[in-house]
Amino acid sequence: MKVVVLVKCVPDSQLARSLVAPKWNMKRCDVSEIVSELDEYALEEALRLAETHSGSVTAVTVGPARAVKAVETALQRGAESGVHIMDDALAGSDVVATAVVLSAAVRRLCPDVVIAGMASTDSGTSLVPSMIAEMLGWPLLGCVDEVLTDGSVLRVRRERDHGLEVLEASMPVIVTVTDRASEPRFPSFRTILAAKRKTIHSWSLSDLGICSSEVGWDAARTSVESAVERPSRGAGHIEKDEGHGGIRLAEFLLERNLL
Amino acid sequence: MSSVYVLIDRPHGEVSEAALGLLTLAGQWGDPVAIVLSERASDEGCDRDSAGIEPSEMVALSRAGAVEIIVARPVGVSPESGCVVHSGELMTDAATAALSERRTAAELADVVLASGTPEGREIAGRLAVRLKAAVITDVVALLPVTSDSGFRVKKTALADAFEVIVRSTRRAAVIVVAPEVASAVWAKTCETAVFRDVVPRVRPLKCPLRMGTSAIRVVERRARDMSERPDLSKAKVVVAGGRGTRGDFTSIEALADALGGATAASWAAVSAGWCSADRQVGQTGQRVSPRLYVAAGISGSVHHRVGMQDSQVVVAVNKDPDAPIFGIADFGIVGDLFTVLPQAVEEIARIRGRIGT
Ligand SMILES: Cc1cc2nc3c(=O)[nH]c(=O)nc-3n(C[C@H](O)[C@H](O)[C@H](O)COP(=O)(O)OP(=O)(O)OC[C@H]3O[C@@H](n4cnc5c(N)ncnc54)[C@H](O)[C@@H]3O)c2cc1C
Ligand SMILES: Cc1cc2nc3c(=O)[nH]c(=O)nc-3n(C[C@H](O)[C@H](O)[C@H](O)COP(=O)(O)OP(=O)(O)OC[C@H]3O[C@@H](n4cnc5c(N)ncnc54)[C@H](O)[C@@H]3O)c2cc1C
C-alpha cells in the first residue's frame, strides 16, 4: 500500500506570531519553524497503515527552502521517502494554488491513500485537502479519529458533535486526521540515523507541469487589506487560597451578579 | 439586488441555528437564497416541493429571510444504498446545480455562504474549485460592498490574535463564516424578534450525482446521548475541567449544577477519555463565549484560550501561580480545585438560602 502524507512547515504556535505589512503574510523565522503539530497525527496514522500492510510512506511538503524540515521530521519518524516542492514563484500562494501543486504531486506519486492534517496550525483554513479531493475526483473522509483498512477498502471512525460515525470508502481516497487520533511517536536514535540515508526529492513547478502564472501573489484569489492585533485580555484579581478560596470565589460571583 | 446563496446544514436532520444566522447575514449583501439538501431521493416519488424538509424548518428559513428555498433532492441514491446523505460531495453537487441553473448575464457575481463546520469547509473547498471562486474562512463579519472593491470581509487569524480585512479578487466568492458567529447572529435575531418574514419561493431541484459520491458508505452511525445540562454552545455559564482533575469531574459537575451551567473540558481531559469530544473547548474543539467561564485544573495554553477568551467573565482555579490561565482571568484562586470548588458550591447554596433565591 502506498501512502502519501502531507506535512506543512509552520511557525511554532506556542511562540509569538505576527503578520507583516505590506502584504500581511506570516512573519517567518527559520529557528521557530516546525512541522504543523496536527500533521504529526496524520503522519502517525500513515505510518500505522504502512506498517500493517507492508506499505511505504512518502512525505510531501510545499514551501521555501526551510520547509524541508517538515519532510526531515517525517523521515526521522519512519517515512520512507520525501518530496519537497520548492519554487520562487510559489511565494504568496493562496489555498487554491497550494492545492493545485499538491494534487499534481499526488498524481505523480499515484498513492492508494493520501493523509493530511485536519488544519494547519498557522493559516488553518482546512481547505487544502478538500480542494485536492475535488481536483483529483476522489472522496474525502474528513476529520477522522482512526484509520483502518483490510487492504482494499478504508474504514474510518470519527466523533462529531452529534455522535459517532464509522465510514468506508474504496481507494484511492484522501483522509484528514484530528488530534484525537493515536499519540504521535517520538523518533528513536535508530530512526534518526536511518533518516540520513533516505532521499528527499526536490521538485520545481516545471517538474510538475504547472505554469508559474497559476500560483503565487498574482494568481491569489484573495488579497489582505489590513491586519490588526486584537487587544489581549488582561489579568484581574488573583489570590492564594488561605482556606477560604471557595468562599471568596462565591463572593466574587455574587458581586458580579453571576449567582 | 443579486442573490446570495446560503448552504443550509441540517446536522441533526434539522436546520442548524448557524445556517439561519447565515441567511440573516446574507441579507446584508443581497437576496438570500437557501440551498437545502433533502434526505428524500427524488426518485422516491415527488409529493411536495419541500419533501424531506419539515414544515417547521421551512418556516424558520423564511423567518431568517430566505427569498427562495431550493430543495435539492439527489437522483439515484436511496437510504438503503447506505450513501452518506450529508456527504460533502452531494451538497457540492446540489450547490453547483443550483448555481449553474441560475447563472445569467444579469447576475454578475456568485456569492455562497457556508458555515465553518468540517462538512461546511469540505463543501466550500470543492465548490471554490468548481466555481473558480475565492474562498475565505474564519469570517466574523461581512463588510459593505462598494462599487469595485469586490467582496470584503473581516476574519480572524493566528488563533484569533489578529483581525484581518480580506478582499476577494474574483467575482465569485465562497465565504466560510465561523459557526459560533453565525449562531450568535441568529440568537440575536430571535432576541430582538425582528424577522424578515418574506414568503419565499420554493423550488425543487433534481440533483444528479457526479463522481464517486457513492464511494463513501456509512457502516455505523450512533447519535450522542444528550446531557441534561445545557448545551455547551448556548450555555450562559460553563465550568471546565482539565488534566488537574485527574479524571474526577465530580466537583466540576457540582459547580456547573449549582450555577445552572454546562460542563466542558480541555483537550488533555478529552484525550485521556474522561470526557466526550463534544465537550472540548479550544482550537480543535468548540469556541464558547458565555457570561461566565470557570477553568479548573486547566493550565490555559494558547490552544485552549482561543476557545474561551471571549467569555465575559473568566474565573480560574489552579495550583500553579504561574499557570497562563491566570493571565486572562478576571478572578483567580491559586489553590487545589478539590477543596476550592466544593467550598464554593457550599457557599453558593448558603448565599442563595440567605438572599432567598
Ligand atoms: C493568517 C492567514 C490566513 C489565510 N487565510 C486565507 C483564506 O481565507 N483564503 C485563502 O485562499 N488563503 C488564505 N491564506 C493563505 C493560505 O493559508 C495558504 O495558501 C496555505 O498555503 C494553505 O492553506 P492552509 O495552511 O490553511 O492549509 P489547511 O487546509 O489548513 O491544511 C490542511 C492540511 O493540508 C496539508 N497542507 C496544507 N498546506 C500544505 C503545504 N504547504 N505542504 C504540505 N501539506 C500542506 C497539511 O496536511 C495540512 O494539515 C491565509 C494565510 C494566512 C497566513
Ligand atoms: C494544534 C493544537 C490544537 C490544540 N487544540 C486544543 C483545544 O482545542 N483545546 C485544548 O484544551 N487544548 C488544545 N491543545 C492542547 C494544548 O496545547 C494543551 O496541551 C492542553 O490544553 C492542556 O490541557 P490542560 O490544561 O488540561 O493540561 P495541563 O497543561 O497539563 O494543565 C493541567 C493544570 O492543572 C493544574 N492542576 C493540577 N492539579 C490540580 C489541582 N488539584 N487543583 C488545581 N489545579 C491543578 C496544573 O497546575 C496545570 O496547570 C491543542 C494543541 C495543539 C498543538
Side-chain angles (χ1 to χ4, degrees), chain B residues 227-250:
Chain B
S227 131
E228 313 238 302
R229 294 195 182 82
D231 185 13
L232 181 53
S233 60
K234 283 191 222 142
K236 299 257 184 289
V237 173
V238 173
V239 183
R243 204 188 317 261
T245 64
R246 297 195 301 268
D248 179 0
F249 265 61
T250 330

Side-chain angles (χ1 to χ4, degrees), chain B:
Chain B
M1 270 213 278
S2 58
S3 305
V4 176
Y5 296 87
V6 177
L7 305 180
I8 304 296
D9 65 332
R10 305 173 62 231
H12 310 272
E14 193 190 326
V15 171
S16 73
E17 289 178 11
L20 298 171
L22 289 181
L23 281 169
T24 312
L25 285 172
Q28 297 176 11
W29 274 357
D31 291 328
V33 177
I35 303 176
V36 205
L37 196 60
S38 165
E39 271 151 28
R40 304 271 296 275
S42 64
D43 22 12
E44 270 178 65
C46 202
D47 26 19
R48 281 182 291 129
D49 283 351
S50 58
I53 312 295
E54 292 295 323
S56 60
E57 293 181 272
M58 298 299 279
V59 170
L61 292 172
S62 64
R63 296 191 99 184
V67 297
E68 182 172 347
I69 302 172
I70 298 175
V71 181
R73 298 175 70 187
V75 181
V77 248
S78 60
E80 298 79 63
S81 71
C83 172
V84 192
V85 172
H86 280 284
S87 109
E89 289 166 77
L90 211 53
M91 188 56 161
T92 311
D93 286 341
T96 314
L99 264 76
S100 60
E101 214 177 68
R102 297 302 300 282
R103 265 196 189 188
T104 59
E107 267 184 62
L108 292 175
D110 284 322
V111 195
V112 181
L113 303 191
S115 170
T117 58
E119 286 80 11
R121 286 176 195 254
E122 175 182 355
I123 301 159
R126 288 184 180 276
L127 207 52
V129 171
R130 289 197 199 172
L131 300 176
K132 302 202 184 327
V135 50
I136 307 172
T137 59
D138 306 293
V139 170
V140 293
L142 309 187
L143 302 177
V145 185
T146 50
S147 54
D148 51 18
S149 69
F151 294 100
R152 291 164 73 242
V153 297
K154 183 152 69 170
K155 70 173 278 178
T156 53
L158 301 184
D160 284 0
F162 282 80
E163 266 183 357
V164 184
I165 309 281
V166 189
R167 187 166 62 80
S168 154
T169 60
R170 292 289 186 275
R171 281 248 161 92
V174 180
I175 305 296
V176 185
V177 180
E180 67 281 359
V181 169
S183 303
V185 166
W186 181 243
K188 200 148 177 220
T189 309
C190 292
E191 240 168 62
T192 55
V194 182
F195 297 111
R196 296 186 34 138
D197 277 330
V198 282
V199 179
R201 207 159 77 87
V202 179
R203 205 158 58 86
L205 178 75
K206 273 195 189 169
C207 177
L209 296 180
R210 297 199 340 177
M211 314 192 304
T213 307
S214 48
I216 296 179
R217 218 173 60 76
V218 183
V219 179
E220 191 189 338
R221 210 175 228 174
R222 224 181 307 142
R224 194 183 294 290
D225 292 334
M226 287 299 155
S227 131
E228 313 238 302
R229 294 195 182 82
D231 185 13
L232 181 53
S233 60
K234 283 191 222 142
K236 299 257 184 289
V237 173
V238 173
V239 183
R243 204 188 317 261
T245 64
R246 297 195 301 268
D248 179 0
F249 265 61
T250 330
S251 55
I252 302 286
E253 284 164 6
L255 184 59
D257 290 342
L259 297 170
T263 58
S266 70
W267 169 83
V270 170
S271 112
W274 304 334
C275 287
S276 61
D278 62 324
R279 299 275 121 192
Q280 185 185 322
V281 166
Q283 189 173 335
T284 53
Q286 286 196 56
R287 292 180 182 209
V288 296
S289 49
R291 280 185 64 203
L292 170 66
Y293 188 91
V294 181
I298 292 179
S299 60
S301 73
V302 59
H303 309 107
H304 186 77
R305 292 198 310 260
V306 67
M308 45 65 75
Q309 63 197 3
D310 289 333
S311 305
Q312 277 175 35
V313 175
V314 172
V315 169
V317 179
N318 197 302
K319 277 206 299 214
D320 174 8
D322 297 323
I325 192 73
F326 288 129
I328 61 160
D330 299 283
F331 185 81
I333 297 284
V334 180
D336 189 330
L337 71 93
F338 293 107
T339 57
V340 174
L341 297 193
Q343 191 180 55
V345 170
E346 236 173 71
E347 181 65 9
I348 289 166
R350 211 183 58 78
I351 293 173
R352 288 228 172 102
R354 197 182 65 209
I355 58 178
T357 45

Side-chain angles (χ1 to χ4, degrees), chain A residues 5-10 19 24-26 28 36 38-39 42 60-63 67 70 92-99 102 115-132 176-177 220-222 224, chain B residues 121 134-139 155-158 162 164 166:
Chain A
V5 62
L6 306 179
V7 284
K8 185 180 183 187
C9 198
V10 300
L19 301 170
W24 303 107
N25 46 317
M26 289 284 298
R28 302 277 182 186
S36 175
L38 294 171
D39 292 351
V60 179
T61 199
V62 181
S93 291
D94 64 0
V95 285
V96 189
T98 308
L102 284 169
I115 305 189
M118 65 185 282
S120 70
T121 56
D122 56 352
S123 27
T125 63
S126 298
L127 294 170
V128 167
S130 66
M131 288 187 164
I132 296 173
T176 70
V177 175
R221 298 177 185 182
T222 55
V224 178
Chain B
R121 286 176 195 254
V135 50
I136 307 172
T137 59
D138 306 293
V139 170
K155 70 173 278 178
T156 53
L158 301 184
F162 282 80
V164 184
V166 189

Side-chain angles (χ1 to χ4, degrees), chain A residues 58-227:
Chain A
T58 303
V60 179
T61 199
V62 181
R66 60 174 175 265
V68 75
K69 199 160 168 183
V71 174
E72 286 167 357
T73 305
L75 295 183
Q76 289 173 357
R77 306 268 172 101
E80 205 144 284
S81 59
V83 174
H84 177 202
I85 304 158
M86 179 169 57
D87 203 302
D88 290 344
L90 283 167
S93 291
D94 64 0
V95 285
V96 189
T98 308
V100 163
V101 174
L102 284 169
S103 56
V106 169
R107 247 185 227 116
R108 181 158 165 183
L109 292 165
C110 263
D112 302 293
V113 186
V114 173
I115 305 189
M118 65 185 282
S120 70
T121 56
D122 56 352
S123 27
T125 63
S126 298
L127 294 170
V128 167
S130 66
M131 288 187 164
I132 296 173
E134 182 67 24
M135 289 169 185
L136 297 172
W138 290 10
L140 171 83
L141 296 169
C143 294
V144 314
D145 307 333
E146 192 180 8
V147 187
L148 297 167
T149 178
D150 60 5
S152 61
V153 290
L154 206 73
R155 179 179 276 220
V156 300
R157 185 180 52 79
R158 64 184 186 190
E159 218 181 306
R160 288 294 164 86
D161 288 348
H162 48 276
L164 178 104
E165 287 178 344
V166 179
L167 307 174
E168 259 180 15
S170 50
M171 294 184 260
V173 60
I174 178 162
V175 181
T176 70
V177 175
T178 71
D179 56 352
R180 291 190 290 272
S182 305
E183 192 63 30
R185 67 191 65 184
F186 287 110
S188 68
F189 185 60
R190 190 182 55 80
T191 56
I192 291 174
L193 275 186
K196 293 199 196 307
R197 292 190 302 274
K198 296 174 182 168
T199 34
I200 299 177
H201 302 278
S202 196
W203 293 351
S204 66
L205 287 177
S206 60
D207 290 329
L208 291 169
I210 296 168
C211 173
S212 59
S213 63
E214 285 178 66
V215 299
W217 292 113
D218 294 338
R221 298 177 185 182
T222 55
S223 105
V224 178
E225 284 184 3
S226 63

